Amino acid sequence: MSNQNQSVRSTASLFEPYTIGNLTLPSRVVMAPMTRGFSPNGVPGPDVAAYYRRRAENGVGLIITEGTLINHPAATDNPNIPNFHGEAALNGWAEVVRQVHEAGGKIMPQIWHIGMTRPIGAEPNPEALPIGPSGLDLDGNVVTKPMTKDEIEQVVQAYADAAANAKRLGFDGVEIHGAHGYLIDQFLWERTNRRTDEYGGDMLKRARFAVEVVKAVREAVGPDFPVAIRLSQWKTTQYKAKLADTPEKLGQLLTALSDAGVDIFHCSTRRFWEPEFEGSDLNFAGWAKKLTGKTVITVGSVGLDEVFTSLFTQGKGAGQRDLEELLNRLEENEFDLVAVGRALLADPQWAAKVRDGRFDELAPFTPESLQTLV
């Protein structure tokens, strides 16, 4: 897509400060959480700190880290995903925070458990079985037994402990990963949650686990520490899945989470410009803002001229998409913050170049971008 329009269109609205409670972000640009897997034995090193610092130095207002693991043996299937527990990993994250703050940025960790997407026998704890509400994978196949109530309590506490660590280390908030078919989303989605107790049933009952996590996190961090949750309708392998097929059902879920203590809804879509429901142009984030009044983050192929998922299936890169529609929607207050993923992964100076109108200097995203921490 051509960038000719962008040379005359001001991008100033992307670079206005934004305040959430006691937290003021220097711009509306958010670095989306992207799994990188460059933390051997779960410990982020100096290269990870430098990677995040580069984005803070170049106009990103809020960095949301890659998914970091709560303290549970089946939280991941990859020993190179960073932990958010244990002295070595937390010392690594303390250095990340120091560098981002020194560069003038703000940062939140995303805390995560992958649930039933973990294959049996996966590292780093091959003896640990995957856990989920009903022991079902995303295709509805029985893999393990449903989580017991004791297990649920332990995992809720692990989220709370991670959030408390985030505050202690000096992070500016915390994001709970509730999207993309991972553990919390497996409770929310009727295909993977077939429970008949208080954690299963209609939308509000399926939301009980997420609500308990949010309440525990809120209690751990106090009233003034920003708490975000990332939600999606789609799943990692189920792009047409929907948690809520009507605004009313979505409102039930979001209101319950808002009442539990969520300050920010991070609304994951594959294409930010697509309407969420028939009869309205509002995207997922726009609906979340309308239904709750809370701060919302939009995300989904921002800055790319190809949907990010096609970049892997087709093995090709993506050029830059012009930002006209994004800026229009932002200026109409459809959403408050804009998360940028692959475009920012490929080019640490993406925000600064967009701010300064240097569109012809933007580096294209290619699958090779994933192989290093640029």
Side-chain angles (χ1 to χ4, degrees):
M1 220 179 242
S2 167
N3 293 314
Q4 292 174 348
N5 295 336
Q6 301 200 62
S7 59
V8 294
R9 174 69 188 268
S10 169
T11 59
S13 56
L14 267 177
F15 297 94
E16 294 172 354
Y18 183 79
T19 299
I20 312 159
N22 297 331
L23 174 64
T24 297
L25 306 177
S27 80
R28 306 295 183 99
V29 179
V30 176
M31 181 177 184
M34 290 173 285
T35 297
R36 302 309 315 273
F38 286 92
S39 297
N41 298 313
V43 177
D47 55 341
V48 174
Y51 163 79
Y52 286 118
R53 181 188 181 117
R54 281 191 287 275
R55 276 75 186 169
E57 287 173 337
N58 283 283
V60 172
L62 173 63
I63 290 166
I64 303 176
T65 72
E66 62 206 285
T68 71
L69 303 168
I70 64 170
N71 189 7
H72 187 272
T76 187
D77 59 0
N78 184 338
N80 298 310
I81 302 294
N83 291 326
F84 210 76
H85 58 87
E87 184 178 5
L90 294 176
N91 286 343
W93 284 117
E95 177 62 12
V96 173
V97 172
R98 188 189 72 77
Q99 296 231 17
V100 168
H101 285 169
E102 191 174 87
K106 305 294 184 183
I107 184 167
M108 299 180 181
Q110 185 189 71
I111 54 177
W112 186 33
H113 191 301
I114 70 171
M116 295 300 302
T117 67
R118 181 180 190 274
I120 288 177
E123 297 290 343
N125 300 306
E127 74 289 346
L129 292 173
I131 62 169
S134 300
L136 304 175
D137 66 18
L138 295 190
D139 294 318
N141 301 312
V142 176
V143 179
T144 59
K145 294 180 180 178
M147 288 171 72
T148 66
K149 291 183 182 179
D150 283 347
E151 286 176 317
I152 288 173
E153 285 182 17
Q154 290 166 12
V155 171
V156 168
Q157 185 60 50
Y159 279 103
D161 292 345
N165 282 330
K167 186 175 182 182
R168 179 173 60 81
L169 293 176
F171 279 89
D172 300 293
V174 63
E175 176 168 287
I176 300 161
H177 195 340
H180 304 159
Y182 296 116
L183 180 62
I184 290 174
D185 198 18
Q186 289 160 20
F187 274 86
L188 295 174
W189 195 29
E190 57 191 349
R191 177 180 286 192
T192 44
N193 183 348
R194 303 287 177 80
R195 297 178 75 98
T196 55
D197 63 2
E198 63 268 38
Y199 292 95
D202 62 18
M203 175 65 84
L204 284 177
K205 289 180 176 177
R206 297 197 308 274
R208 181 183 178 117
F209 176 71
V211 165
E212 288 184 358
V213 169
V214 172
K215 285 181 175 178
V217 163
R218 173 56 70 203
E219 188 173 337
V221 300
D224 300 322
F225 193 71
V227 173
I229 190 166
R230 198 176 211 207
L231 298 173
S232 69
Q233 298 263 39
W234 65 281
K235 319 302 168 200
T236 320
T237 56
Q238 312 269 349
Y239 294 130
K240 295 184 178 179
K242 281 194 178 291
L243 287 180
D245 54 9
T246 66
E248 291 73 24
K249 288 180 185 174
L250 183 62
Q252 287 181 347
L253 171 61
L254 298 182
T255 299
L257 294 170
S258 178
D259 291 347
V262 170
D263 300 304
I264 304 165
F265 287 101
H266 187 176
C267 301
S268 179
T269 56
R270 296 169 67 218
R271 309 170 181 90
F272 78 85
W273 55 91
E274 290 186 343
E276 190 58 41
F277 299 110
E278 286 186 20
S280 168
D281 289 335
L282 289 176
N283 73 3
F284 187 15
W287 274 106
K289 186 173 177 69
K290 179 178 179 176
L291 291 165
T292 68
K294 294 289 179 83
T295 293
V296 299
I297 306 173
T298 197
V299 68
S301 301
V302 172
L304 301 181
D305 63 3
E306 293 280 347
V307 171
F308 70 84
T309 45
S310 70
L311 304 177
F312 306 101
T313 57
Q314 297 169 22
K316 62 190 181 80
Q320 295 294 330
R321 177 188 176 87
D322 88 39
L323 300 176
E324 187 85 11
E325 183 171 359
L326 180 80
L327 293 165
N328 288 342
R329 288 170 178 252
L330 178 64
E331 289 161 14
E332 290 165 4
N333 296 312
E334 181 174 342
F335 37 75
D336 305 296
L337 302 168
V338 175
V340 182
R342 271 75 184 173
L344 192 54
L345 186 153
D347 190 341
Q349 297 180 309
W350 185 91
K353 290 175 181 176
V354 167
R355 180 190 63 208
D356 300 338
R358 295 182 287 140
F359 295 99
D360 56 344
E361 297 179 28
L362 290 168
F365 174 86
T366 64
E368 289 71 37
S369 308
L370 299 174
Q371 304 309 311
T372 56
L373 288 176
V374 296

